[in-house]
Amino acid sequence: RLELAPAQDVAPSLKVAVGKELFAEARGAKNDELRLRNVGVDTAAGAVAVALRAVEGRSPDARWVLHVGLEPPLDGAEREPNNDVAHATPLTLQGGTAQLAGFLWPGDADVYRVVGAPPEAELAFDVDGVDKVDLKLERLGADGRSWVRADDAGAGQGELLPPARAGEALVRVSGRARDTAFDAPYRLTATLTQPVPDEEREPNDGP
């Protein structure tokens, strides 16, 4: 768990890495605090490096303050890094549904892969709203590209992706560039449904 109070008039950047593997990264506008949570670093792989940088501005006489703390993994929550398909957090179906909580910081995105969905079945996704956060929900292909998204609701409201063929069963949650869900996480739910024979099936927007 990391919390950075930047120097005055500086746009900060914060990275957590072990060796060449980047575990988490956040970037803010001028005077933005950066807070990261549930960063699950692999300390057995080497020393943990925390890098701070002034992306914009300079304030040589002002101080920045960084708090780094250890806390046990949060039960029922995603774990960083999971910002791409290769590091997707498993979302395991039980009784036809699966649910996990997640945290966001500026520039963060969380990718999930549903486990246990039959290929002929369909999956629906919904994410609960978080105060002052404008969430975006996207279905992804194996290449990480988005093929359908839900981004119509405003800040503080949830988003819904209707049932579509399970396929790669990948979904991504993100927010606006400066949105933060740190103290209150979002909650993502996947629901398994059976296809209706006389209805079209997504994706079907190309040849």
Side-chain angles (χ1 to χ4, degrees), residues 17 41 56-57 60 63 73 76 97 102 131 135 149 154 165 177 191 201:
V41 294
E56 182 183 348
R63 292 185 176 185
T97 62
D131 188 36
L135 293 168
R149 71 182 62 188
R165 188 174 56 205
T191 305
R201 296 183 70 184

Side-chain angles (χ1 to χ4, degrees), residues 2-74:
L2 302 95
E3 300 183 47
L4 170 67
Q8 187 70 23
D9 297 324
V10 167
S13 168
L14 181 62
K15 295 182 180 181
V16 182
V18 177
K20 294 183 178 181
E21 184 175 3
L22 181 65
F23 279 80
E25 179 179 8
R27 175 175 172 171
K30 282 190 177 182
N31 302 317
D32 277 356
E33 291 187 359
L34 295 180
R35 302 189 295 169
L36 287 72
R37 197 169 184 186
N38 237 30
V39 181
V41 294
D42 181 10
T43 55
V48 180
V50 179
L52 287 78
R53 188 164 68 94
V55 179
E56 182 183 348
R58 60 190 303 270
S59 187
D61 298 321
R63 292 185 176 185
W64 51 262
V65 178
L66 174 66
H67 293 280
V68 180
L70 297 177
E71 59 183 2
L74 300 175

